[in-house]
């Protein structure tokens, strides 16, 4: 938006984006008023719309200017900062192995380029046999100066996966930044939802402990070891 954007005999102004690379884009003008007097058909407008094609510019900072068509081909003396943001990168989801059957799970995501825009935060998507899109809370953020929007670039996100939100299975985690910088991580991180273990038998199921320790053998399925951690066994109020 601005003032003095001229259309002349149907020709519209050009948008120039200059930085490490550059692009000149055609525009569509609106909110226009006829200019009386010239031989040409002239309008002065206050709004232009341009389309920046996919991958037209690499990530970086640019300066935006507008040039009116000939014969009034002046360029705006002031330039507006314009940023092409790279897609965010997702490094890890911790934990990446959860059981959702008994309660909510807090997930911590680390990476780079997680953007907040005017308070809107990225979203976490877990995709597999089913899918879930989760809101996040961002932290470890640095302001991105010079933009009309209030933008921060963050490296940590925290999401809550609600109880029974996803069935058992394997998933891929991706992060999408909010509009207008709504790119999605190119890489995915694996994430797994496991069922509760099942206990089929305890042998012996009758014991006397008054004269010594008793070894119990448990059979079932889904008994997981995670790193060096092994399952715990509860007998009444006692945890073994």
């Amino acid at each position: 938006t601005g003032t003095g954007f001229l259309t002349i005999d149907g020709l519209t102004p050009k948008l120039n984006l200059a930085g490490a690379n550059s692009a000149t884009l055609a525009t569509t003008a609106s909110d226009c008023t006829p200019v009386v007097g010239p031989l040409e058909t002239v309008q002065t407008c206050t709004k232009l719309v341009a389309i920046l094609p996919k991958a037209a510019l690499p990530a970086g900072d640019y300066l935006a200017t507008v040039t009116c068509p000939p014969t009034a081909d002046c360029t705006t003396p002031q330039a507006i900062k314009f940023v092409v943001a790279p897609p965010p990168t997702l490094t890890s989801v911790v934990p990446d192995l959860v059981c959702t059957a008994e309660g909510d799970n807090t997930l911590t995501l680390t990476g780079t380029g997680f953007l907040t825009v005017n308070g809107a935060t990225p979203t976490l998507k877990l995709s597999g046999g089913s899918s879930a899109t989760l809101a996040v809370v961002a932290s470890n953020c640095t302001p991105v100066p010079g933009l009309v929007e209030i933008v921060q670039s963050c490296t940590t996100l925290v999401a809550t996966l609600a109880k029974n939100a996803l069935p058992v299975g394997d998933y891929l985690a991706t992060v999408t930044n909010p509009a207008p910088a709504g790119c999605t991580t190119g890489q995915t991180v694996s994430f797994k939802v496991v069922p509760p273990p099942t206990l089929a038998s305890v042998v012996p199921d009758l014991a006397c402990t008054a004269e010594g320790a008793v070894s119990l053998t448990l059979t079932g399925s889904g008994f997981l070891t995670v790193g060096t951690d092994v399952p715990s066994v509860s007998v009444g109020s006692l945890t073994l």
Side-chain angles (χ1 to χ4, degrees):
T1 59
T3 59
F5 301 148
L6 299 181
T7 70
I8 301 176
D9 289 338
L11 298 176
T12 59
K14 301 290 187 181
L15 170 63
N16 314 300
L17 298 173
N21 289 59
S22 63
T24 300
L25 307 178
T27 66
T28 301
S30 61
D31 294 347
C32 300
T33 303
V35 177
V36 178
L39 295 177
E40 300 87 352
T41 302
V42 181
Q43 297 181 105
T44 180
C45 310
T46 60
K47 185 181 293 185
L48 301 174
V49 175
I51 296 175
L52 181 62
K54 179 180 179 180
L57 288 173
D61 294 347
Y62 296 84
L63 293 177
T65 57
V66 171
T67 302
C68 287
T71 55
D73 47 349
C74 289
T75 298
T76 51
Q78 69 283 358
I80 302 293
K81 183 176 180 179
F82 179 81
V83 174
V84 176
T89 60
L90 179 61
T91 304
S92 66
V93 180
V94 178
D96 58 0
L97 175 73
V98 299
C99 176
T100 63
E102 296 180 357
D104 298 348
N105 287 269
T106 299
L107 310 178
T108 300
L109 292 72
T110 56
T112 59
F114 301 146
L115 299 182
T116 70
V117 181
N118 289 337
T121 58
T123 54
L124 166 64
K125 186 172 184 179
L126 299 172
S127 302
S130 296
S131 64
T133 300
L134 309 179
V136 302
V137 176
S139 61
N140 295 331
C141 301
T142 303
V144 178
L147 299 175
V148 174
E149 300 88 352
I150 299 172
V151 181
Q152 298 181 106
S153 181
C154 310
T155 59
T156 304
L157 304 174
V158 175
T160 299
L161 181 61
K163 178 181 178 180
N164 292 325
L166 285 174
V168 170
D170 294 326
Y171 296 85
L172 294 176
T174 56
V175 172
T176 300
N177 280 332
C183 288
T184 300
T185 50
Q187 68 287 347
T188 56
V189 172
S190 296
F191 182 81
K192 191 176 188 68
V193 177
V194 296
T198 59
L199 180 60
S201 66
V202 179
V203 178
D205 59 359
L206 174 68
C208 175
T209 61
E211 297 180 358
V214 177
S215 294
L216 306 178
T217 300
L218 291 74
T219 58
S221 61
F223 301 152
L224 299 181
T225 63
V226 180
T228 58
D229 295 330
V230 298
S232 60
V233 177
S234 297
V235 181
S237 60
L238 180 65
T239 300
L240 307 177

